[in-house]
Amino acid sequence: MTTAVSKELRREVLEANLRIPRAGLATLTWGNVSGVDRRAGVFVIKPSGVAYDVLSEEDLVVVSLSDGSVVEGHLRPSTDTETHRSLYLAFPSVGGVTHTHSAHAVAFAQARRPIPVLGTTHADTFNGPVPVTEALTPQQCATGYEYNTGQVIVDLLGRDDTRAREVPGALVAHHGPFTWGADATASLEHAIICEAVAEMALHTIALGAVEPPQHLLDRHFARKHGPDAYYGNPPSV
Amino acid sequence: MTTAVSKELRREVLEANLRIPRAGLATLTWGNVSGVDRRAGVFVIKPSGVAYDVLSEEDLVVVSLSDGSVVEGHLRPSTDTETHRSLYLAFPSVGGVTHTHSAHAVAFAQARRPIPVLGTTHADTFNGPVPVTEALTPQQCATGYEYNTGQVIVDLLGRDDTRAREVPGALVAHHGPFTWGADATASLEHAIICEAVAEMALHTIALGAVEPPQHLLDRHFARKHGPDAYYGNPPSV
Amino acid sequence: MTTAVSKELRREVLEANLRIPRAGLATLTWGNVSGVDRRAGVFVIKPSGVAYDVLSEEDLVVVSLSDGSVVEGHLRPSTDTETHRSLYLAFPSVGGVTHTHSAHAVAFAQARRPIPVLGTTHADTFNGPVPVTEALTPQQCATGYEYNTGQVIVDLLGRDDTRAREVPGALVAHHGPFTWGADATASLEHAIICEAVAEMALHTIALGAVEPPQHLLDRHFARKHGPDAYYGNPPSV
Amino acid sequence: MTTAVSKELRREVLEANLRIPRAGLATLTWGNVSGVDRRAGVFVIKPSGVAYDVLSEEDLVVVSLSDGSVVEGHLRPSTDTETHRSLYLAFPSVGGVTHTHSAHAVAFAQARRPIPVLGTTHADTFNGPVPVTEALTPQQCATGYEYNTGQVIVDLLGRDDTRAREVPGALVAHHGPFTWGADATASLEHAIICEAVAEMALHTIALGAVEPPQHLLDRHFARKHGPDAYYGNPPSV
């Protein structure tokens, strides 16, 4: 019997992980989603190296937010667990984190180029380019590598929670995209969008990219976010 | 009980919306199709932000053609509703409108390049390039943004219904493709074709595009459209 | 009751047509396969504009090889029927013909570049580049356009049946690929291969293509074709 | 009744072959996996030219490691059998071999460029670029062509088993990727990864590739391989 987190959180994290392959973001077992329960001081994450088609709620691992120890679970958590934890600790508004190796977002990470804002598809979700970190130093690689992978993202955003809400994702240099959101589902959807806008940007760059006017981008971000948002329907319906 | 539009129109609009993800044109809930009943003075459109796999006929929203108010439905209509409405008002022959963020068509929109006519695949449906609008001005973004998004398309085509029938689609700069047709199904199929020819054009440009002879293009458009068309079979069979 | 061709030929032609969308070669209803019965002097072909998911054996159309008239069927045959007929008449060894608008092969056709031989994947099936025709003249477009579309392929190959067997496909300029083979199934598989090698060639050109040594290509073509072929197993097993 | 190899090896080799089309690596029947039983002195391989959807355990062919003769099976083995055999003979640690014509890996092979190490996706599996062989000479093509195809790989790696474990794949010039691993499953997964990193590399090169720091690559290879590896979970769980 599992008790450390609610059945609902487990189910949401499982479902978000299973959407990784369905959305075409996964090769083999690459990619993981977590969701946090800040009151309980824990987050739930995919186990390391387990195939999506055999993954069950019982396989998920519950990890302590304060020290990264396994609180519940019979498997080792994702190798990226410490990266997730460092993002949760730095940004109070983050409720879920997703990491994938989706092909087009990785290409930008490998070229160490931010994903530029080229249109409304991007501006609907990211209020600015998806930025790319510096490469980790030999010291950052030698000790606490995965935690430091989160830290270069935190440094990139200036540990600014507002910015993390407005640009819910970043590329780690020569590695790939990490995205986050209010919950596990939102973080996964931001991963899907990150890959979609990366693909569009790659094709646009091939055709010759043109900078869009800022007032258009502002309009799109505002219509989906903030006090005057008017996109979508209440999730209860 | 719904009465504002026929069961057939609702079914057609639902089916056309469901073909968006099946045709690979959708990321998440992006993309929407509407169909009009001009005698009743209304059109039926997808609700905003609802996932395709839970979308039902009852969720569709019936909107007034004259003022954009919701005539029937328990959900908010697509944020793009006013764009659809402005196209219906400008072009009497339009019976259905589709909007997607399909990757290759968006790339042309983001590069602010029309999709050029490079072969018969294009000429079978579009009698000329798929044109791209000017970017909306700050004023057009500030008030009535979605309606104005339709208006820049209307301006681009010179409010010419014949041209709208011969080139049933356009790219909004830094946004994406809008297509239309005699009914919802036709508008959706033009969205599929717009994405297909955009992908082919992207690859052709990479290989070095060569302008095709006009007499070949004319031949193809004519064999599918107009008095001497000889493509296809009667839909009743 | 249908009697003009055998049940087996109808079944093969239907099955080959249904493989077009399954192999990812089709957008909407684009693409058609035919198979010939030379003793009966007829060929069986897809009807024009019918969706693959409702296509049945009864919908196929039987056409006279000598004059192109419909011998059997309640639907209009594919608009490309005359192109198929002209290829059957020119090349005695051809038993089946396929036409698609697959994206990468069309890109080469639109750029009016042959698909170059860059490796063994290509050389296993095509003993040389997949050639591209001249654009049709105004005269060729004005009268008998579809038949002339076949004729520019026939001219390209010098009406040489041996060459047609060694290079079972060609690109019509600004249009797309036509492939053929000993039967309908072989022509469809050549269409699949034509698209696969076009995609590989596009990527290779982006990376900088290098000409392969002729002795390697000869080896591959020879191991699948001709008296010393040793690829595959008897189809009866 | 089959007795030359265990039921488990047959099942694993069948399953690995069936994953080729599911992973999107196959066109038609292209691609094959084998697995070896070194104590029995034989390996099990896909028959030549048989479609994946009708392939059964009984169709697999058991081949002698020492002389390449068929030990068991009613079909002719894959034409690439001798290439597999030469890899087994040269590298004692290899337990499975996979060959595909996946599009992006083939593009690098056709451009005769190694797949460069551009990030952690690559470094997790390949400790260095995926190298490309010299083109086979006329002599190597004339006699024992398939065995020589393996030999150019063996030569490329300096017949070094440690290197074969650290870089479990290579591209044969103008042909395509061969990958290997501790068993058939591992070799197939290396084929999947080889194609994934080739696609990412192609996109990265289009954006302008940047060399990653060696300490980052070392970190990633080490965390999945060798004495201090900490990725994954025991397969028994």
Side-chain angles (χ1 to χ4, degrees), chain A residues 27-30 47-50 75-76 79-80 101-104 106-108 110-113 135-138 141-142 145-146 173-175 202 205, chain D residues 19 118-121 124-125 189 192-193 196 199-201 203-204 206-213 215-216 219-220 223-224 229-233 237:
Chain A
T27 300
L28 299 171
T29 62
W30 307 345
S48 182
V50 174
L75 294 171
R76 196 186 284 186
T79 15
D80 301 306
H101 283 243
S102 65
H104 297 88
V106 165
F108 278 89
Q110 293 190 156
R112 289 173 70 166
R113 288 175 69 160
L136 275 75
T137 63
C141 280
Y145 166 65
E146 284 82 9
H174 302 295
H175 188 156
L202 186 83
I205 289 168
Chain D
R19 284 179 68 187
L118 297 172
T120 65
T121 319
D124 276 337
T125 300
E189 297 197 343
I192 293 172
I193 296 169
E199 185 192 350
M200 290 172 184
H203 296 325
T204 306
L207 291 169
V210 175
E211 206 173 336
H215 57 263
L216 177 67
R219 180 70 191 174
H220 268 261
R223 81 176 191 171
K224 283 191 110 169
Y230 55 97
Y231 179 89
N233 275 286
V237 287

Coordinates of all heavy atoms in Angstrom, one line a residue, chain A residues 27-30 47-50 75-76 79-80 101-104 106-108 110-113 135-138 141-142 145-146 173-175 202 205, chain D residues 19 118-121 124-125 189 192-193 196 199-201 203-204 206-213 215-216 219-220 223-224 229-233 237:
Chain A
T27 N 12.4 8.3 -27.6 CA 13.1 7.2 -28.1 C 13.3 6.3 -27.0 O 13.8 6.7 -25.9 CB 14.4 7.7 -28.8 OG1 14.1 8.6 -29.8 CG2 15.1 6.5 -29.4
L28 N 13.0 5.0 -27.1 CA 13.2 4.0 -26.0 C 12.6 4.5 -24.7 O 11.4 4.9 -24.7 CB 14.7 3.7 -25.9 CG 15.3 3.1 -27.2 CD1 16.8 3.0 -27.1 CD2 14.7 1.7 -27.4
T29 N 13.4 4.6 -23.6 CA 12.9 5.0 -22.3 C 13.2 6.5 -22.0 O 13.1 6.9 -20.9 CB 13.4 4.1 -21.2 OG1 14.8 4.3 -21.2 CG2 13.1 2.7 -21.4
W30 N 13.7 7.2 -23.0 CA 14.2 8.6 -22.8 C 13.0 9.5 -22.5 O 12.1 9.6 -23.3 CB 14.9 9.1 -23.9 CG 16.1 8.2 -24.4 CD1 16.6 7.2 -23.7 CD2 16.7 8.3 -25.7 NE1 17.6 6.6 -24.5 CE2 17.7 7.3 -25.7 CE3 16.6 9.1 -26.8 CZ2 18.6 7.1 -26.8 CZ3 17.5 8.9 -27.9 CH2 18.4 7.9 -27.9
P47 N 10.6 5.9 -12.7 CA 11.8 5.1 -12.4 C 12.8 5.2 -13.6 O 12.4 5.4 -14.7 CB 11.3 3.7 -12.1 CG 10.0 3.6 -12.9 CD 9.4 5.0 -12.9
S48 N 14.0 4.9 -13.3 CA 15.1 4.9 -14.3 C 15.0 3.7 -15.3 O 14.9 2.6 -14.8 CB 16.5 5.0 -13.6 OG 17.5 5.1 -14.6
G49 N 15.0 4.0 -16.6 CA 15.2 2.9 -17.6 C 14.1 2.0 -17.7 O 14.2 0.9 -18.3
V50 N 12.8 2.3 -17.3 CA 11.7 1.4 -17.4 C 10.9 1.8 -18.7 O 10.7 3.0 -18.9 CB 10.8 1.5 -16.1 CG1 9.5 0.7 -16.4 CG2 11.6 1.0 -14.9
L75 N 11.9 0.9 -6.9 CA 12.8 1.0 -8.0 C 13.7 2.3 -7.8 O 13.3 3.2 -7.0 CB 12.1 1.2 -9.4 CG 11.3 -0.1 -9.9 CD1 10.5 0.3 -11.1 CD2 12.3 -1.2 -10.2
R76 N 14.8 2.4 -8.5 CA 15.6 3.5 -8.5 C 14.9 4.7 -9.3 O 14.4 4.4 -10.4 CB 17.0 3.2 -9.2 CG 18.1 4.1 -9.0 CD 19.3 3.6 -9.8 NE 20.0 2.4 -9.3 CZ 21.1 2.0 -9.8 NH1 21.7 2.6 -10.9 NH2 21.7 0.9 -9.3
T79 N 17.5 8.9 -13.4 CA 18.8 9.6 -13.2 C 18.7 11.1 -13.2 O 19.6 11.8 -12.6 CB 19.8 9.3 -14.4 OG1 19.2 8.7 -15.5 CG2 20.9 8.4 -13.9
D80 N 17.7 11.6 -13.8 CA 17.5 13.1 -13.8 C 16.8 13.6 -12.6 O 16.4 14.8 -12.6 CB 16.7 13.5 -15.1 CG 17.4 13.0 -16.4 OD1 18.6 13.4 -16.5 OD2 16.8 12.3 -17.2
H101 N 14.2 14.0 -24.8 CA 15.3 14.2 -25.9 C 14.6 14.3 -27.2 O 15.0 13.7 -28.2 CB 16.2 13.0 -25.8 CG 17.2 13.1 -24.7 ND1 18.6 13.2 -24.9 CD2 17.0 13.1 -23.4 CE1 19.2 13.2 -23.7 NE2 18.3 13.1 -22.8
S102 N 13.5 15.1 -27.3 CA 12.8 15.3 -28.6 C 13.8 15.9 -29.6 O 14.6 16.8 -29.3 CB 11.6 16.1 -28.4 OG 11.9 17.5 -28.0
A103 N 13.7 15.4 -30.9 CA 14.8 15.7 -31.8 C 15.0 17.1 -32.2 O 16.2 17.5 -32.3 CB 14.4 14.9 -33.1
H104 N 14.0 17.9 -32.4 CA 14.3 19.3 -32.8 C 14.7 20.2 -31.7 O 15.6 21.0 -31.9 CB 13.1 19.9 -33.5 CG 12.7 19.1 -34.8 ND1 11.9 18.0 -34.8 CD2 13.1 19.3 -36.1 CE1 11.7 17.5 -36.0 NE2 12.5 18.3 -36.8
V106 N 16.4 19.1 -29.1 CA 17.8 18.7 -28.9 C 18.7 19.4 -29.9 O 19.8 19.8 -29.5 CB 17.9 17.2 -28.9 CG1 19.4 16.8 -29.0 CG2 17.3 16.6 -27.6
A107 N 18.3 19.5 -31.1 CA 19.1 20.1 -32.2 C 19.5 21.5 -31.8 O 20.7 21.9 -31.9 CB 18.5 20.1 -33.5
F108 N 18.5 22.3 -31.3 CA 18.9 23.7 -30.8 C 19.8 23.6 -29.6 O 20.8 24.4 -29.6 CB 17.6 24.4 -30.5 CG 16.9 25.0 -31.7 CD1 16.0 24.3 -32.4 CD2 17.2 26.3 -32.1 CE1 15.3 24.8 -33.5 CE2 16.6 26.9 -33.3 CZ 15.7 26.1 -34.0
Q110 N 22.0 21.3 -29.0 CA 23.3 20.9 -29.5 C 24.0 22.0 -30.2 O 25.2 22.1 -30.3 CB 23.2 19.6 -30.3 CG 22.8 18.4 -29.5 CD 22.8 17.1 -30.2 OE1 23.0 16.0 -29.6 NE2 22.8 17.1 -31.5
A111 N 23.2 22.9 -30.9 CA 23.8 24.0 -31.6 C 24.0 25.2 -30.7 O 24.6 26.2 -31.1 CB 22.9 24.4 -32.8
R112 N 23.6 25.0 -29.4 CA 23.6 26.1 -28.4 C 23.0 27.4 -28.9 O 23.5 28.4 -28.7 CB 25.1 26.3 -28.0 CG 25.6 25.1 -27.1 CD 27.0 25.1 -26.8 NE 27.4 26.1 -25.8 CZ 28.6 26.1 -25.2 NH1 29.5 25.2 -25.4 NH2 28.9 27.1 -24.4
R113 N 21.9 27.2 -29.5 CA 21.1 28.3 -29.9 C 19.7 28.3 -29.2 O 19.1 27.3 -29.1 CB 20.7 28.2 -31.4 CG 21.9 28.5 -32.3 CD 21.6 28.3 -33.8 NE 20.7 29.3 -34.3 CZ 20.6 29.5 -35.7 NH1 21.3 28.8 -36.5 NH2 19.7 30.4 -36.1
A135 N 27.5 25.5 -21.2 CA 27.9 24.1 -20.9 C 28.4 24.0 -19.5 O 28.9 24.9 -19.0 CB 29.0 23.8 -21.9
L136 N 28.1 22.9 -18.9 CA 28.6 22.7 -17.5 C 30.1 22.6 -17.5 O 30.7 22.1 -18.4 CB 28.0 21.4 -16.9 CG 26.6 21.5 -16.3 CD1 25.5 21.6 -17.4 CD2 26.3 20.4 -15.4
T137 N 30.7 23.1 -16.4 CA 32.1 23.1 -16.3 C 32.6 21.8 -15.8 O 31.8 20.9 -15.4 CB 32.5 24.1 -15.2 OG1 32.0 23.7 -14.0 CG2 32.0 25.6 -15.5
P138 N 33.9 21.5 -16.0 CA 34.4 20.2 -15.4 C 34.0 20.0 -14.0 O 33.7 18.9 -13.6 CB 35.9 20.4 -15.6 CG 36.1 21.3 -16.7 CD 34.9 22.3 -16.6
C141 N 30.5 19.0 -13.7 CA 30.3 17.6 -14.1 C 30.8 16.6 -13.1 O 30.3 15.5 -13.0 CB 31.0 17.4 -15.5 SG 30.0 18.0 -16.9
A142 N 31.8 17.0 -12.4 CA 32.5 16.0 -11.5 C 31.7 15.6 -10.3 O 31.6 14.4 -9.9 CB 33.9 16.6 -11.1
Y145 N 26.5 16.2 -10.6 CA 26.2 16.5 -12.0 C 24.8 16.8 -12.3 O 24.4 17.8 -12.9 CB 26.8 15.4 -12.9 CG 26.3 15.6 -14.3 CD1 26.7 16.7 -15.1 CD2 25.4 14.7 -14.9 CE1 26.2 16.9 -16.4 CE2 24.9 14.8 -16.2 CZ 25.3 15.9 -16.9 OH 24.8 16.1 -18.2
E146 N 23.9 15.9 -11.9 CA 22.5 16.1 -12.2 C 21.9 17.3 -11.5 O 21.1 18.0 -12.1 CB 21.7 14.8 -11.9 CG 21.9 13.7 -13.0 CD 23.2 12.9 -12.7 OE1 23.8 13.1 -11.6 OE2 23.6 12.1 -13.6
A173 N 22.6 23.1 -22.6 CA 23.6 23.0 -23.7 C 24.1 21.5 -24.0 O 24.5 20.9 -23.0 CB 24.8 23.9 -23.5
H174 N 24.0 21.1 -25.2 CA 24.5 19.8 -25.7 C 23.7 18.7 -25.0 O 24.2 17.5 -25.0 CB 26.0 19.6 -25.4 CG 26.8 20.6 -26.1 ND1 26.9 20.7 -27.5 CD2 27.6 21.6 -25.6 CE1 27.7 21.7 -27.8 NE2 28.1 22.3 -26.7
H175 N 22.6 19.0 -24.4 CA 21.8 17.9 -23.7 C 20.4 18.0 -24.3 O 20.1 17.3 -25.3 CB 21.8 18.2 -22.2 CG 21.2 17.1 -21.4 ND1 21.6 16.8 -20.1 CD2 20.3 16.2 -21.7 CE1 20.9 15.8 -19.6 NE2 20.1 15.4 -20.6
L202 N 13.2 25.5 -37.0 CA 14.2 25.0 -37.9 C 13.8 25.2 -39.4 O 14.6 25.6 -40.2 CB 14.3 23.5 -37.6 CG 15.4 22.7 -38.3 CD1 16.8 22.9 -37.6 CD2 15.1 21.3 -38.5
I205 N 14.0 28.9 -40.3 CA 15.3 29.4 -40.5 C 15.8 28.9 -41.9 O 16.5 29.7 -42.6 CB 16.2 28.8 -39.3 CG1 15.9 29.6 -38.0 CG2 17.7 28.9 -39.7 CD1 16.5 29.0 -36.8
Chain D
R19 N 10.7 -5.5 -33.9 CA 10.8 -4.1 -33.4 C 11.4 -3.2 -34.5 O 11.2 -2.0 -34.4 CB 11.7 -4.0 -32.2 CG 11.0 -4.5 -30.9 CD 11.8 -4.4 -29.7 NE 12.1 -3.1 -29.3 CZ 13.0 -2.8 -28.3 NH1 13.6 -3.8 -27.6 NH2 13.2 -1.5 -27.9
L118 N 27.5 15.3 -30.7 CA 27.1 16.6 -30.5 C 26.4 16.9 -29.2 O 26.1 18.0 -28.9 CB 26.2 17.1 -31.7 CG 27.0 17.1 -33.0 CD1 26.0 17.3 -34.2 CD2 28.1 18.1 -33.1
G119 N 26.2 15.8 -28.4 CA 25.5 16.0 -27.2 C 25.4 14.7 -26.4 O 26.0 13.6 -26.8
T120 N 24.7 14.8 -25.3 CA 24.6 13.6 -24.4 C 23.8 12.5 -24.9 O 24.0 11.3 -24.5 CB 24.0 14.1 -23.0 OG1 22.6 14.5 -23.2 CG2 24.8 15.3 -22.5
T121 N 22.8 12.8 -25.8 CA 22.0 11.7 -26.4 C 23.0 10.7 -27.0 O 22.8 9.5 -26.9 CB 21.0 12.2 -27.4 OG1 20.5 13.4 -27.0 CG2 20.0 11.2 -27.7
D124 N 25.6 9.0 -24.4 CA 25.0 8.0 -23.5 C 25.3 6.6 -24.0 O 25.3 5.6 -23.2 CB 23.5 8.2 -23.3 CG 23.1 9.2 -22.3 OD1 23.9 9.5 -21.4 OD2 22.0 9.8 -22.4
T125 N 25.5 6.5 -25.3 CA 25.6 5.1 -25.9 C 26.9 4.9 -26.7 O 27.5 3.9 -26.6 CB 24.4 4.9 -26.8 OG1 23.2 5.0 -26.1 CG2 24.5 3.5 -27.5
E189 N 18.5 -2.0 -30.1 CA 18.4 -0.7 -29.5 C 19.5 0.3 -29.9 O 19.2 1.5 -30.1 CB 18.3 -0.8 -27.9 CG 17.1 -1.7 -27.6 CD 16.7 -1.6 -26.1 OE1 17.5 -1.1 -25.3 OE2 15.6 -1.9 -25.8
I192 N 18.3 1.8 -33.1 CA 17.3 2.8 -32.9 C 18.0 4.1 -32.5 O 17.7 5.2 -33.0 CB 16.3 2.4 -31.8 CG1 15.5 1.2 -32.2 CG2 15.5 3.6 -31.3 CD1 14.6 0.6 -31.2
I193 N 19.0 4.0 -31.6 CA 19.8 5.2 -31.1 C 20.6 5.8 -32.2 O 20.7 7.0 -32.4 CB 20.6 4.8 -29.9 CG1 19.7 4.4 -28.7 CG2 21.5 6.0 -29.5 CD1 20.4 3.7 -27.6
A196 N 18.4 7.9 -34.2 CA 17.9 9.0 -33.5 C 19.0 10.1 -33.5 O 18.8 11.3 -33.7 CB 17.5 8.7 -32.1
E199 N 19.5 11.7 -36.9 CA 18.5 12.8 -37.2 C 18.9 14.1 -36.5 O 18.8 15.1 -37.0 CB 17.1 12.3 -36.8 CG 16.1 13.3 -37.3 CD 14.7 13.1 -36.7 OE1 14.4 12.0 -36.1 OE2 13.9 14.0 -36.9
M200 N 19.2 13.9 -35.2 CA 19.5 15.1 -34.4 C 20.8 15.8 -34.9 O 20.8 17.0 -35.0 CB 19.8 14.7 -32.9 CG 18.6 14.3 -32.2 SD 19.0 13.6 -30.5 CE 17.4 13.1 -29.9
A201 N 21.7 15.0 -35.4 CA 23.0 15.6 -35.9 C 22.7 16.4 -37.2 O 23.2 17.4 -37.4 CB 24.0 14.5 -36.1
H203 N 19.9 17.9 -38.1 CA 19.3 19.1 -37.8 C 20.3 20.1 -37.1 O 20.2 21.3 -37.4 CB 18.1 18.9 -36.8 CG 17.0 18.1 -37.3 ND1 16.6 18.1 -38.7 CD2 16.2 17.2 -36.8 CE1 15.6 17.3 -38.9 NE2 15.3 16.7 -37.7
T204 N 21.2 19.6 -36.3 CA 22.1 20.4 -35.6 C 23.1 21.0 -36.6 O 23.4 22.2 -36.5 CB 22.9 19.6 -34.6 OG1 22.0 18.9 -33.7 CG2 23.8 20.5 -33.7
A206 N 22.4 21.7 -39.6 CA 21.7 22.8 -40.3 C 21.7 24.1 -39.5 O 21.7 25.2 -40.1 CB 20.3 22.3 -40.6
L207 N 21.7 23.9 -38.2 CA 21.6 25.1 -37.3 C 23.0 25.7 -37.0 O 23.2 26.8 -36.5 CB 20.9 24.8 -36.0 CG 19.4 24.5 -36.1 CD1 18.9 23.9 -34.8 CD2 18.7 25.8 -36.4
G208 N 24.1 24.9 -37.3 CA 25.4 25.2 -37.0 C 25.9 24.5 -35.8 O 25.7 24.9 -34.7
A209 N 26.6 23.4 -36.0 CA 27.0 22.5 -34.9 C 28.1 23.1 -34.1 O 29.0 23.9 -34.7 CB 27.5 21.1 -35.4
V210 N 28.1 22.9 -32.8 CA 29.1 23.4 -31.9 C 29.7 22.2 -31.1 O 28.9 21.3 -30.7 CB 28.5 24.4 -30.8 CG1 29.5 24.8 -29.8 CG2 27.9 25.6 -31.6
E211 N 31.0 22.1 -31.0 CA 31.6 20.9 -30.4 C 31.3 21.0 -28.9 O 31.5 22.0 -28.2 CB 33.1 20.9 -30.6 CG 33.7 19.5 -30.5 CD 35.1 19.4 -31.0 OE1 35.6 20.4 -31.7 OE2 35.8 18.5 -30.5
P212 N 30.8 19.9 -28.3 CA 30.6 19.8 -26.9 C 31.9 19.6 -26.1 O 32.8 19.0 -26.6 CB 29.6 18.7 -26.7 CG 29.9 17.8 -27.9 CD 30.4 18.6 -29.0
P213 N 31.9 20.0 -24.8 CA 33.1 19.7 -24.0 C 33.3 18.3 -23.7 O 32.3 17.6 -23.4 CB 32.9 20.6 -22.7 CG 31.4 20.8 -22.7 CD 30.9 20.8 -24.1
H215 N 34.5 16.7 -21.2 CA 34.1 16.2 -19.8 C 32.6 15.9 -19.6 O 32.3 15.1 -18.9 CB 34.6 17.3 -18.7 CG 34.0 18.7 -18.9 ND1 34.7 19.7 -19.6 CD2 32.9 19.2 -18.6 CE1 34.0 20.8 -19.6 NE2 32.9 20.5 -19.0
L216 N 31.8 16.6 -20.4 CA 30.4 16.4 -20.4 C 30.1 15.0 -21.0 O 29.3 14.2 -20.5 CB 29.6 17.5 -21.1 CG 28.1 17.3 -21.2 CD1 27.4 17.4 -19.9 CD2 27.5 18.3 -22.2
R219 N 31.2 12.2 -18.8 CA 30.3 12.0 -17.7 C 29.1 11.1 -18.1 O 28.7 10.2 -17.4 CB 29.8 13.4 -17.3 CG 28.8 13.3 -16.1 CD 29.5 12.9 -14.9 NE 28.6 12.7 -13.8 CZ 29.0 12.2 -12.6 NH1 30.2 11.9 -12.4 NH2 28.1 11.9 -11.7
H220 N 28.5 11.4 -19.3 CA 27.3 10.7 -19.7 C 27.6 9.2 -20.1 O 26.9 8.3 -19.7 CB 26.6 11.4 -20.8 CG 25.6 12.3 -20.3 ND1 24.3 12.0 -20.3 CD2 25.7 13.6 -19.7 CE1 23.6 13.0 -19.7 NE2 24.4 14.0 -19.4
R223 N 28.1 7.3 -16.8 CA 26.9 7.1 -15.9 C 26.0 5.9 -16.4 O 25.2 5.4 -15.7 CB 26.1 8.4 -15.6 CG 25.1 8.8 -16.7 CD 24.3 10.0 -16.2 NE 23.2 10.3 -17.1 CZ 22.3 11.2 -16.9 NH1 22.3 11.9 -15.8 NH2 21.3 11.4 -17.7
K224 N 26.2 5.5 -17.7 CA 25.5 4.4 -18.2 C 26.3 3.1 -18.4 O 25.8 2.1 -18.6 CB 24.8 4.8 -19.5 CG 23.6 5.6 -19.4 CD 22.9 5.7 -20.7 CE 21.5 5.0 -20.7 NZ 20.7 5.3 -21.9
A229 N 28.4 2.9 -13.2 CA 27.2 3.2 -13.9 C 26.1 3.3 -12.9 O 26.0 2.5 -12.0 CB 26.9 2.2 -15.0
Y230 N 25.2 4.2 -13.1 CA 24.0 4.3 -12.1 C 22.7 4.6 -12.9 O 21.8 5.1 -12.3 CB 24.3 5.4 -11.0 CG 24.7 6.8 -11.5 CD1 23.7 7.8 -11.7 CD2 26.0 7.1 -11.9 CE1 24.0 9.1 -12.1 CE2 26.3 8.4 -12.3 CZ 25.3 9.4 -12.4 OH 25.6 10.6 -12.9
Y231 N 22.7 4.3 -14.2 CA 21.4 4.5 -14.9 C 20.6 3.2 -14.9 O 21.2 2.1 -15.0 CB 21.8 4.9 -16.4 CG 20.6 5.1 -17.2 CD1 20.0 6.3 -17.3 CD2 20.0 4.0 -18.0 CE1 18.8 6.5 -18.1 CE2 18.9 4.2 -18.7 CZ 18.3 5.4 -18.8 OH 17.2 5.6 -19.6
G232 N 19.3 3.3 -14.9 CA 18.5 2.1 -15.1 C 18.2 1.3 -13.8 O 18.6 1.7 -12.7
N233 N 17.4 0.3 -14.0 CA 17.1 -0.6 -12.9 C 17.4 -2.0 -13.3 O 17.5 -2.3 -14.5 CB 15.6 -0.5 -12.6 CG 15.3 0.7 -11.7 OD1 15.5 0.6 -10.5 ND2 14.7 1.8 -12.2
V237 N 13.4 -6.7 -12.3 CA 12.3 -6.1 -11.6 C 11.1 -5.8 -12.6 O 11.4 -5.6 -13.8 CB 12.6 -4.8 -10.9 CG1 13.4 -5.0 -9.7 CG2 13.3 -3.8 -11.9

